[in-house]
Amino acid sequence: MALIVQKYGGTSVGDVERIKAVARRCVATQKAGHDVVVVVSAMSGDTNRLLKLVSAITDRPDLREQDVVVATGEQVTIGLLAMAIQAQRKKARSFLGHQVRILTDSAHSKARIVQIDEQRIREALRKHEIVVVAGFQGVDAEGSVTTLGRGGSDTTAVAIAAALKADACEIYTDVTGVYTTDPNVCPAARKLDRITYEEMLELASLGAKVLQIRSVEFAMKYKVPLWVKSSFTDDPGTLVCEEDTKMEEPLVSGIAYDRNEAKISVRGVPDEPGVAARLFGALDEKNVVVDVIVQNPAKDGRTDLTFTVARSDFVTARDTVKKVAKAIKAEGVEADETVAKVSIVGVGMRNHSGVAAKMFQVLAAEGINIQLISTSEIKVSCLIHSKYTELAVRSLHTAFGLDAPAVDLSATSR
Ligand code: ASP
Ligand code: MG
C-alpha cells in the first residue's frame, strides 16, 4: 500500500464531466489499495476570470484582497470533486489551505510555503477518506489567505507529497508528459520516459511550461518522485527523478526556446570599476531581472555590455539603461526585441566535449547568426533572431538525435 498525491490542473477539472472523470481516477487509485490525497486547480480560465474582475475594480490592487478573490477558484473545485467522489460511494473531504494549514510567508500573490501541518490529512486518511486539497493557496502567520503564484498548484502538490513522505506525486495535465521540445514547433518531438530534476529545472525555466519551477525545486530538494501524466489517457507519462549514475545519460535530453526575451547593448562604456554595478544596480532597483550578460574585452578604454531581459520589462529596462548610460558617459544604447533564446539541455554533456561546438555548427549550417552565447554545466543557450526560432529548434532536435522514429506506413498501405 502506497501513499499517492495526485494533482489535477485546470483543464482536467474544466467542466463537470471532467471532474467526474477525475473522481473515477481517484477512486480507482484508492481501490488499488492506496491512500490518496488529491490537489486541484481552479477550473481552466477561472483564475484569469477572477483576476479580470480585480482589474475592473482597480489597476493597483491591494494584494491581500486580490488573494482573497483569486483563491476562490480552487474552493469551487475541491467541493465539487469531493461530492463527485462521494457520488461514487467513497468517502471524501475537502480542505482549503488554512484548514490543512499550509503555512506561507506573507508575500501575497507569490507566497512561499513555510510549513505544512500534516495532522488533519493523516486523520482523514485513517478514516479512509480521499483527501481533496485546494492548490495554489495557503495562509500566513496572521491568518490571511495567500496564493503561491500562477501555476502554484503544482507546488502545493509536491510540498504536500514531501511533508507526507508520499511514495509518488503525480501531476495530471493535458499533455502525456515532458517532451524533448515543444511539439507545436517540432512535430518530431518525443515524449521522454524520464528526465532528471536538474534538466527539468532548466527546461522549465527556459520556457517549457509543464510544471511550475518552484515545484521542481521542491521535488529535487526533498527527492519526491514526480510523474507528469495526462488525465485523458493511460500513458505512463514522464518520471522526473534523480540522476541515475549507473545509466549512460543522453548527451542532450531536450531543446528549449524562449521568445520572451529582449536584448539591450550599451556601447562604449568607460572601462572603469563600478560601471556594471551602477547599470545593473539601477535595473535591480526597478525589479528588472537580467538574464544573459556579456561584456566584451575593453579596447581604447571602452567596452560594450550586452544583456537580455524579459520582454515585459523591455521598456523599463531600456529607459533605465539610457539614463545610466548618459550618467556614466557611455556612447550609446541599442535595444532589440526581435530575439529568441534557443537552448540545448542535458546532464550527459557534463562529461562530454564538443556539444557546444556541434550546436554552433548546426545553426551555422542553417545560416542562423548567433548573437550571444551562455552556458552552464548542463545547458548551452544561443540568442538568435526570433524569426529563426522554429528552424533552429527543429534542426537541433534532429542533429542531437531526438526525433521520434518516422512511422512506417508501408505495412498498412498494402
Ligand atoms: N489556478 C491557479 C492558476 O491558474 C493555480 C494553478 O492552476 O496551478 O495559476
Ligand atoms: Mg499548471
Side-chain angles (χ1 to χ4, degrees):
M1 188 175 117
L3 169 54
I4 297 180
V5 176
Q6 300 185 330
K7 179 257 167 177
Y8 293 89
T11 45
S12 303
V13 293
D15 60 38
V16 168
E17 284 315 311
R18 287 182 175 181
I19 290 174
K20 288 180 182 169
V22 166
R24 283 194 290 276
R25 275 188 190 265
C26 302
V27 167
T29 309
Q30 193 191 47
K31 277 190 179 154
H34 307 306
D35 281 339
V36 186
V37 178
V38 204
V39 174
V40 283
S41 294
M43 294 165 94
S44 60
D46 223 22
T47 308
N48 287 340
R49 182 183 62 84
L50 294 165
L51 280 167
K52 251 202 206 138
L53 292 176
V54 170
S55 51
I57 298 279
T58 168
D59 51 10
R60 283 164 187 254
D62 173 345
L63 294 177
R64 179 188 184 275
E65 303 312 327
Q66 177 174 297
D67 275 352
V68 169
V69 176
V70 295
T72 58
E74 277 75 9
Q75 178 161 350
V76 174
T77 45
I78 56 170
L80 291 175
L81 180 58
M83 288 185 279
I85 293 169
Q86 289 163 358
Q88 293 176 35
R89 298 181 202 294
K90 290 287 166 195
K91 290 193 267 182
R93 179 187 291 257
S94 69
F95 290 90
L96 290 163
H98 75 88
Q99 293 173 322
V100 174
R101 200 142 189 273
I102 299 176
L103 181 69
T104 71
D105 62 19
S106 301
H108 286 287
S109 83
K110 49 172 192 287
R112 284 178 174 269
I113 296 176
V114 175
Q115 195 198 335
I116 293 182
D117 190 351
E118 27 157 330
Q119 243 16 68
R120 298 190 69 181
I121 295 183
R122 294 254 186 233
E123 241 166 69
L125 290 174
R126 266 197 293 278
K127 292 187 220 149
H128 300 289
E129 289 168 344
I130 294 179
V131 176
V132 186
V133 180
F136 179 55
Q137 58 174 266
V139 64
D140 71 3
E142 268 136 51
S144 297
V145 175
T146 57
T147 64
L148 310 179
R150 298 310 302 269
S153 302
D154 294 341
T155 301
T156 306
V158 175
I160 287 180
L164 295 171
K165 301 190 180 60
D167 297 283
C169 181
E170 304 173 344
I171 307 283
Y172 285 89
T173 168
D174 49 5
V175 292
T176 46
V178 180
Y179 277 70
T180 47
T181 192
D182 180 353
N184 297 317
V185 161
C186 178
R190 207 159 34 81
K191 197 206 75 183
L192 292 158
D193 294 331
R194 56 190 280 286
I195 185 167
T196 67
Y197 295 122
E198 275 179 291
E199 289 168 326
M200 192 63 223
L201 273 180
E202 292 285 9
L203 289 172
S205 62
L206 292 168
K209 312 171 207 64
V210 217
L211 292 171
Q212 199 198 32
I213 293 173
R214 219 184 287 165
S215 73
V216 185
E217 288 170 353
F218 238 105
M220 181 157 105
K221 185 164 171 198
Y222 296 100
K223 299 190 176 33
V224 178
L226 193 61
W227 289 91
V228 179
K229 291 165 179 272
S230 161
S231 59
F232 304 117
T233 70
D234 287 318
D235 193 289
T238 301
L239 174 63
V240 189
C241 59
E242 290 197 279
E243 200 171 332
D244 184 347
T245 44
K246 289 189 290 284
M247 262 165 67
E248 176 91 41
E249 302 284 350
L251 224 46
V252 171
S253 299
I255 316 280
Y257 67 90
D258 190 353
R259 284 200 181 95
N260 179 33
E261 298 254 332
K263 182 180 75 170
I264 297 179
S265 298
V266 194
R267 303 278 180 214
V269 179
D271 184 30
E272 36 185 70
V275 284
R278 253 177 100 172
L279 195 66
F280 295 109
L283 289 168
D284 184 43
E285 251 167 54
K286 301 270 180 193
N287 287 317
V288 173
V289 178
V290 177
D291 185 18
V292 183
I293 305 177
V294 175
Q295 180 180 339
N296 299 344
K299 209 178 149 214
D300 305 326
R302 293 200 176 256
T303 175
D304 292 339
L305 258 170
T306 304
F307 57 91
T308 63
V309 297
R311 220 170 274 183
S312 53
D313 288 336
F314 178 64
V315 175
T316 315
R318 186 194 55 198
D319 296 350
T320 308
V321 167
K322 276 189 176 162
K323 269 190 217 129
V324 180
K326 214 172 188 178
I328 61 176
K329 300 198 169 60
E331 281 160 7
V333 176
E334 284 161 31
D336 184 359
E337 267 189 296
T338 56
V339 294
K341 188 170 71 177
V342 177
S343 309
I344 57 174
V345 174
V347 287
M349 68 176 78
R350 245 194 303 241
N351 310 311
H352 286 84
S353 59
V355 184
K358 180 168 173 179
M359 178 182 195
F360 307 153
Q361 282 155 11
V362 172
L363 296 176
E366 298 293 347
I368 301 172
N369 187 40
I370 301 170
Q371 305 180 9
L372 289 184
I373 299 165
S374 78
T375 62
S376 81
E377 240 194 333
I378 65 163
K379 179 190 74 178
V380 184
S381 304
C382 292
L383 200 74
I384 60 172
H385 194 292
S386 56
K387 72 180 173 194
Y388 295 126
T389 313
E390 278 98 350
L391 179 63
V393 169
R394 286 192 206 132
S395 324
L396 291 166
H397 199 267
T398 305
F400 284 100
L402 296 175
D403 286 1
V407 182
D408 182 7
L409 296 172
S410 58
T412 50
S413 64
R414 248 162 269 160

